[in-house]
Amino acid sequence: NPYAGFLIVWVLTLTVFTIWWAPERSEFWIAILIPCMILLALPGLSRLISGISLPVAVIMVAAIFAVNFLGSICPQSARVAETETCVAVGIDAVVKSGDIVLSDCSFRGRASRYVTSFEKVNLLNPDALSKGNGALEHIVPCALCAVDSLLKDVKRDQRTVYILMCPLSEEPHLRHLYADILSAVQEEFVVSEIVPLRAPAELRRIESRKS
């Protein structure tokens, strides 16, 4: 069949690219299944593997449905982490590769698929925080020192530091703590740019006052 060679090259090329580029992204694998189904439907191949091509094609169609339903339809229909995902999409469109976004959110799960172009640095790590009240009072000064150190490092590399003006943590006390850090950062550093995302979130580009 004159189309078989083209389809085989299509499948192999896209497979190699997907493995190299983003093997965790389901949409790339869906694109590979389409030429596979066309290949299985070719008359010559059907005669060659009679009795096998139909079951394989049915499995591929079922796989496409399962990937779309479980990887897209179902999670996008849920309200869980919707704000986090929308904020992640907005961030990804603004920042450049190597930029740093300060946040209390780790962007796990579905949101992590959209945040691919920057290094995330969390000001708060809930697992590392002590539950004793005495330890919490040192978090804000430590966060300011961490931001100051980051600004010095990125200045040499001509990168940008943003801070996410929206606490996304589910823990109430961490949300309040991050709000305190946001206030302290704005007092300590210069906000040179404000980038609105999905309300009420926004990114603020910060710089050292000494610079």
Side-chain angles (χ1 to χ4, degrees):
N1 193 294
Y3 302 106
F6 169 74
L7 291 169
I8 292 173
V9 172
W10 181 0
V11 171
L12 293 178
T13 303
L14 195 53
T15 299
V16 172
F17 172 79
T18 302
I19 293 174
W20 168 74
W21 181 254
E24 76 283 359
R25 303 290 288 269
S26 60
E27 60 268 28
F28 291 108
W29 293 108
I30 293 175
I32 295 175
L33 293 176
I34 296 173
C36 286
M37 288 189 293
I38 299 175
L39 187 62
L40 290 172
L42 295 178
L45 189 63
S46 297
R47 291 193 299 269
L48 183 63
I49 53 174
S50 177
I52 299 179
S53 58
L54 181 58
V56 172
V58 171
I59 292 174
M60 287 185 174
V61 172
I64 290 178
F65 173 79
V67 169
N68 275 281
F69 181 78
L70 298 176
S72 179
I73 297 174
C74 186
Q76 291 192 45
S77 299
R79 293 180 175 271
V80 179
E82 188 61 31
T83 299
E84 180 178 318
T85 300
C86 291
V87 170
V89 173
I91 290 175
D92 199 50
V94 172
V95 301
K96 299 178 181 178
S97 178
D99 289 349
I100 294 176
V101 175
L102 305 176
S103 171
D104 68 332
C105 177
S106 61
F107 294 104
R108 292 186 295 268
R110 185 156 54 98
S112 64
R113 302 180 184 179
Y114 299 97
V115 184
T116 58
S117 61
F118 64 91
E119 173 188 357
K120 297 187 297 298
V121 177
N122 296 332
L123 286 179
L124 294 179
N125 183 353
D127 297 331
L129 289 177
S130 171
K131 295 183 179 180
N133 294 329
L136 294 179
E137 64 185 14
H138 300 292
I139 298 297
V140 174
C142 289
L144 293 178
C145 292
V147 173
D148 185 61
S149 177
L150 281 173
L151 287 172
K152 292 178 181 178
D153 292 339
V154 302
K155 186 176 182 181
R156 296 194 303 265
D157 303 329
Q158 295 183 339
R159 293 187 294 168
T160 302
V161 176
Y162 295 94
I163 186 165
L164 181 62
M165 303 299 295
C166 175
L168 295 176
S169 174
E170 297 180 358
E171 297 291 336
H173 70 284
L174 293 181
R175 292 176 66 89
H176 291 305
L177 185 57
Y178 185 63
D180 293 340
I181 292 177
L182 291 179
S183 300
V185 167
Q186 291 186 93
E187 293 178 0
E188 186 73 18
F189 304 100
V190 176
V191 177
S192 61
E193 180 184 4
I194 298 177
V195 182
L197 302 174
R198 182 186 181 186
E202 65 180 20
L203 278 180
R204 295 194 177 185
R205 179 176 178 177
I206 57 175
E207 298 176 355
S208 174
R209 292 188 182 277
K210 297 179 181 179
S211 61

